[in-house]
Amino acid sequence: MIQKKICMVGVYATGKTSLVRQFVHAKFSDKYLSTVGVKIDRKPVQVRDQDVNLLLWDLEGRDGVQDVQTSYLRGAAGAIYVADGTRHETVVQVYELRDLVQRTVGEIPEVLALNKVDLADQWTVTKGDRADLARHPWHVFDTSAKTGDGVEAAFHWLAAAMVGAP
Amino acid sequence: MTADGSEHPAPPLGTDPATPEDRAAEFARLRTLLVGREQDAIAELRERLERVRLTPDAVAEHLPEAVALRAGRDQQLARALGPTLERAFTESVRRNPQQIARAIYPALGPAIRKAIAEAIAGLVGAINRALDESLSVRGLRWRWEAWRSGVSYAQIVMKHALVYRVEQVYLIHAETGLLLAHATAPDLSAPDADVISGMLTAIRDFVGDSFEPGADGGGGLRTFSVGDVTVLVEAGPKALLAAVVRGQHPPELLRRLQETLELLHLHFAGPFARFEGDAAEFEPSVAILADCLETVVETHRPRHRSLAPRIAWVVIALLVLAIVTGLALRHRRWQRAVDALDAEPGVVVLDTDRGWRSWRITGLRDPQATAPAAVLTAAGADTNRIRGAWTSYLSAEPSLVLARAERTLAAPASVRLRLAGDTLVAGGSAPTDWIARARARAEAIAGVSAWRDADVAPEIPATLGAAADSLALTRVLFAAGGAELSGPALQSVADAAGWWRALQAGVGEEWVVRLDLVGRTDSTGSRELNRALSDERADQVARALARLGLPERAVRPRGIGTQDPLPARDLEERARLNRSVSFSVRLDPASPMQEPRP
């Protein structure tokens, strides 16, 4: 069975951990996030009849990019950035996060989850923003940790990209 | 370009040369034909010479390539350069050791630190175990074992302390934290091994980053403990080896993990290089990991020990038991003796001091009390070991007051003394001189505040016994039918009066000697007549005594006729003896308050 390490990065309160919880049955409690700065969960998925074991490293992001412990990024085969659609600044910070990941692990398959799509009426993501986002190689998903919208799709897309069968 | 200029087609030989150029060409052709072969050889040689004469520039250009080329082909270059390099290195170290030290420090430093840290960790572990065990029962047993076997205590501790179990071994990809292989003890399962593997990596990174930032991969967490469980992490360039150990593991285990990790790096160099997330290639490593799983239990001593030590133990235990029991019994006996002594009237135990060989008792003792030694002996104590320090005192204990009174008053056997409160009461009978002495002394006895002797019947003192006896034997005899006092009769009365005076003088003024006069008759005549005659005879003697000066109250006449006659050998003698008045002596108190007993 193939195993892949995925790092989830995102600024504080973007619903990153909730996304993981939506996706997996957690083994460790969330307190690891605040103590060690990372929480790891497993999610087995199938990509074209191939079993892939995703190991999700949920990295704590308290205030900004400088808080992300780069050693946790090492060896990641894929990355999921999480931004809060209702808070414009988090969408901007995603670029910084991406730079950091790129510097640490190089080019890897990436997914950007624009979270809280269930609060679409409060969204601050403009058409221009979307155009900017589209210029980057990541795949953008609108997700909701609350309703589960787009979550499975985002993870599956990333899994497929990592095993080279998008 | 070639030397022979063969690119031009040569004109046929033998034709006349028209021009000097043609002639020159002709000559050249001829020369070629004659010495062309030699010319070629010379040109080739020259070219070779040119090539051999390499400039430093040319060498610099080709050297790396040439070295790489040759090194790839065989080991000749390495062999050739080896001695030169060694000499150069030696020379360099000799000339400038600092430079070399600085250069190799990054490589040597961590290695040395690692070696020292491991040695110290092992030492600390051994010391800790020794300290932990040094005061326990097991520690004492080990000391005993060390003493008996002549092996050092530290070695015995080491021998016993090796109790641990390697429960799980993880082989973890160093870069990604992904689980490559995993082995668990047969009775355990680890369903989340992959997640745990990731978390272990993360925690290791976390600790490394927190306490040794910048030391990329070199540092990191090597050992951490949770309760009884210790996780040992060995880090290699490609992978980590983590072992979950329960109990006290020996330092050898770390070394073993290191060796295992090195072995895995060697065997799986290819898979490590190719690793893209598929751990299937590491399947065979599980067997190597499983070799690290082990359960080491306390090594039990072989059971073929001889019986002698055990018998010695039993004997020692019995001895100890006997000593303890003996001490307990001794203590109980001692306590019983002290209690008995304390309960004894007239003895007050103030302090006891129990030494190892002898006992000491301090207290108060009434002289009348039973001797302490006797009490202790009766209570079963060995009085030879007891030293008593007694201070005399007078006890108010009734029995002791009575004993003291008896001793002080020297009461004769006929006297019975008793205490009524603090009044000493006497009963029975006693000579008047004793009574007088007792009256004088009784109230001075400690514990006695009053004396009562009203119930004591007075007796004639022994010193007056002869006078009393003489008086009792005196008979005033009368003629038949008469009551007149004859000459001898008057003499007898006078004798009696003399005895009386002697007695009265002897008993003192507190007593009155009373003479009971008993008049009798012989058996002739009527009873009434005899009774009257006996009264008359007693009265005659009483009157005679009064005439001799005896007070009235000292004489009490009484006639009994023929009743209770005096015994005699024959009738005639009996008649003569009974025509008489006899005397009996009584003592009455002189004071009218003290009435004589009825």
Side-chain angles (χ1 to χ4, degrees):
Chain A
M1 186 166 51
I2 291 179
Q3 301 180 87
K4 292 291 178 189
K5 171 175 173 178
I6 299 176
C7 283
M8 296 197 62
V9 280
V11 248
Y12 183 65
T14 50
K16 187 163 45 78
T17 303
S18 305
L19 275 185
V20 177
R21 213 180 294 131
Q22 178 65 237
F23 189 59
V24 300
H25 175 71
K27 150 101 184 158
F28 296 111
S29 91
D30 293 346
K31 75 170 182 225
Y32 285 84
L33 262 181
S34 49
T35 50
V36 186
V38 67
K39 188 174 82 106
I40 300 169
D41 290 302
R42 174 202 331 114
K43 175 71 178 180
V45 293
Q46 271 212 330
V47 179
R48 290 195 186 163
D49 301 330
Q50 190 175 14
D51 287 329
V52 179
N53 201 14
L54 300 182
L55 284 148
L56 306 178
W57 287 49
D58 181 0
L59 269 57
E60 183 200 36
R62 247 186 323 237
D63 294 321
V65 179
Q66 63 274 23
D67 273 352
V68 176
Q69 216 156 347
T70 50
S71 59
Y72 293 156
L73 294 170
R74 226 171 35 219
I80 298 178
Y81 308 100
V82 186
D84 183 348
T86 64
R87 282 157 59 213
H88 193 258
E89 74 277 11
T90 65
V91 181
V92 177
Q93 279 167 322
V94 156
Y95 294 112
E96 286 179 59
L97 288 173
R98 182 170 187 276
D99 276 350
L100 179 73
V101 173
Q102 288 254 297
R103 277 204 307 277
T104 315
V105 290
E107 287 285 352
I108 50 171
E110 299 160 299
V111 159
L112 169 63
L114 283 175
N115 203 20
K116 305 198 185 172
V117 74
D118 50 302
L119 303 171
D121 52 330
Q122 297 170 30
W123 270 38
T124 56
V125 184
T126 61
K127 267 203 168 135
D129 290 334
R130 285 212 181 262
D132 286 341
L133 290 172
R135 273 197 286 278
H136 286 81
W138 53 30
H139 202 286
V140 182
F141 285 87
D142 290 358
T143 59
S144 167
K146 201 168 178 184
T147 63
D149 279 355
V151 179
E152 288 274 336
F155 281 104
H156 273 101
W157 186 91
L158 188 63
M162 284 188 300
V163 297
Chain B
M1 137 171 200
T2 55
D4 61 1
S6 59
E7 65 264 41
H8 303 289
L13 285 170
T15 53
D16 273 349
T19 62
E21 289 85 6
D22 287 344
R23 263 201 299 276
E26 195 84 352
F27 178 72
R29 242 181 96 198
L30 183 66
R31 201 166 50 188
T32 306
L33 284 173
L34 290 176
V35 293
R37 198 183 294 264
E38 283 72 21
Q39 272 185 323
D40 281 354
I42 287 166
E44 198 183 324
L45 281 169
R46 181 179 296 148
E47 195 184 345
R48 269 194 203 172
L49 275 173
E50 297 248 319
R51 241 191 272 163
V52 166
R53 227 187 298 132
L54 285 172
T55 59
D57 275 359
V59 173
E61 200 167 311
H62 292 289
L63 188 61
E65 203 181 330
V67 167
L69 205 65
R70 189 60 195 258
R73 217 178 288 159
D74 57 30
Q75 298 296 316
Q76 285 294 333
L77 190 64
R79 271 188 219 127
L81 286 176
T84 315
L85 282 176
E86 280 161 14
R87 270 198 298 280
F89 190 72
T90 310
E91 179 67 12
S92 176
V93 169
R94 195 180 61 76
R95 275 216 310 262
N96 193 354
Q98 288 296 328
Q99 187 76 29
I100 298 293
R102 264 202 296 278
I104 63 171
Y105 179 74
L108 276 186
I112 292 169
R113 267 208 305 280
K114 194 170 167 182
I116 290 174
E118 261 159 36
I120 288 177
L123 183 66
V124 166
I127 290 172
N128 280 346
R129 270 196 298 281
L131 284 178
D132 285 350
E133 294 293 351
S134 62
L135 290 176
S136 66
V137 172
R138 197 157 59 149
L140 291 176
R141 212 172 61 215
W142 291 352
R143 281 197 186 283
W144 167 255
E145 191 183 327
W147 176 76
R148 221 161 40 89
S149 58
V151 180
S152 85
Y153 177 63
Q155 275 171 294
I156 297 288
V157 170
M158 287 303 286
K159 192 184 100 184
H160 285 283
L162 300 180
V163 186
Y164 68 97
R165 183 187 192 201
V166 182
E167 290 186 339
Q168 300 186 54
V169 184
Y170 295 81
L171 181 64
I172 304 169
H173 190 240
E175 192 187 15
T176 58
L178 294 174
L179 183 68
L180 300 176
H182 175 231
T184 42
D187 52 336
L188 290 172
S189 67
D192 295 304
D194 47 2
V195 182
I196 291 169
S197 143
M199 235 22 226
L200 263 177
T201 317
I203 291 169
R204 214 176 150 272
D205 287 345
F206 170 72
V207 174
D209 289 352
S210 304
F211 299 107
E212 209 179 343
D216 193 27
L221 197 60
R222 291 198 66 198
T223 308
F224 58 95
S225 299
V226 188
D228 195 26
V229 172
T230 306
V231 181
L232 307 173
V233 186
E234 265 310 306
K238 291 286 181 191
L240 310 177
L241 191 65
V244 180
V245 187
R246 190 173 291 281
Q248 288 274 358
H249 63 85
E252 287 81 28
L253 187 61
L254 266 174
R255 202 161 59 234
R256 189 143 161 221
L257 291 176
Q258 279 169 3
E259 285 165 8
T260 305
L261 190 59
E262 282 162 16
L263 185 74
L264 289 168
H265 273 83
L266 198 67
H267 282 210
F268 294 89
F272 274 128
R274 285 192 294 275
F275 184 69
E276 280 288 341
D278 190 354
E281 280 193 275
F282 291 92
E283 206 67 46
S285 71
V286 173
I288 299 175
L289 297 182
D291 280 347
C292 296
L293 298 175
E294 58 180 358
T295 305
V296 176
V297 293
E298 189 166 348
T299 49
H300 292 289
R301 287 187 60 75
R303 285 286 167 206
H304 54 68
R305 278 189 289 178
S306 70
L307 210 57
R310 273 187 253 180
I311 291 175
W313 274 115
V314 169
V315 168
I316 289 171
L318 286 176
L319 267 176
V320 169
L321 189 70
I323 290 170
V324 168
T325 312
L327 287 175
L329 283 176
R330 209 168 93 118
H331 179 73
R332 235 180 81 194
R333 212 161 51 224
W334 160 249
Q335 202 55 51
R336 239 184 3 228
V338 170
D339 288 348
L341 200 57
D342 213 15
E344 185 66 25
V347 175
V348 179
V349 176
L350 294 178
D351 188 28
T352 59
D353 180 20
R354 206 178 138 217
W356 180 245
R357 298 288 308 161
S358 64
W359 301 336
R360 207 178 128 78
I361 306 178
T362 325
L364 303 175
R365 176 175 173 252
D366 190 290
Q368 299 309 311
T370 317
V375 178
L376 290 171
T377 307
D382 179 5
T383 49
N384 290 330
R385 291 196 182 168
I386 299 173
R387 302 272 170 281
W390 299 103
T391 307
S392 286
Y393 88 116
L394 295 174
S395 171
E397 197 88 36
S399 63
L400 284 164
V401 171
L402 209 54
R404 199 179 304 137
E406 270 166 5
R407 195 179 133 88
T408 310
L409 301 178
S414 58
V415 171
R416 294 183 310 277
L417 291 176
R418 66 189 173 88
L419 271 174
D422 51 3
T423 303
L424 187 60
V425 179
S429 61
T432 53
D433 53 349
W434 181 84
I435 292 172
R437 272 202 311 276
R439 279 180 188 166
R441 288 187 191 171
E443 285 170 20
I445 296 170
V448 175
S449 61
W451 164 255
R452 193 150 70 81
D453 56 14
D455 293 343
V456 181
E459 288 173 4
I460 300 292
T463 51
L464 301 175
D469 289 349
S470 302
L471 197 56
L473 290 172
T474 300
R475 309 269 186 273
V476 180
L477 300 175
F478 292 89
E484 291 79 30
L485 293 164
S486 63
L490 280 171
Q491 185 55 49
S492 294
V493 170
D495 288 347
W499 296 127
W500 179 88
R501 282 199 184 84
L503 285 175
Q504 185 61 59
V507 299
E509 289 174 2
E510 286 187 47
W511 304 95
V512 172
V513 179
R514 196 183 81 201
L515 292 179
D516 286 342
L517 310 183
V518 181
R520 288 189 181 83
T521 61
D522 59 21
S523 52
T524 58
S526 72
R527 193 175 177 149
E528 289 73 28
L529 202 68
N530 282 340
R531 180 69 178 245
L533 183 60
S534 66
D535 276 344
E536 177 58 24
R537 283 175 180 165
D539 286 343
Q540 279 295 334
V541 174
R543 274 194 293 278
L545 287 171
R547 277 196 301 276
L548 287 171
L550 268 67
E552 192 184 348
R553 56 185 291 208
V555 179
R556 194 165 292 182
R558 175 166 69 105
I560 60 169
T562 54
Q563 194 185 340
D564 191 17
L566 297 165
R569 284 193 304 272
D570 52 50
L571 284 170
E572 193 180 342
E573 177 67 6
R574 194 163 84 175
R576 190 182 73 88
L577 269 181
N578 280 292
R579 285 193 298 271
S580 64
V581 169
S582 63
F583 303 88
S584 72
V585 180
R586 295 277 182 281
L587 290 174
D588 283 340
S591 154
M593 298 295 289
Q594 285 186 317
E595 284 300 313
R597 273 205 308 182

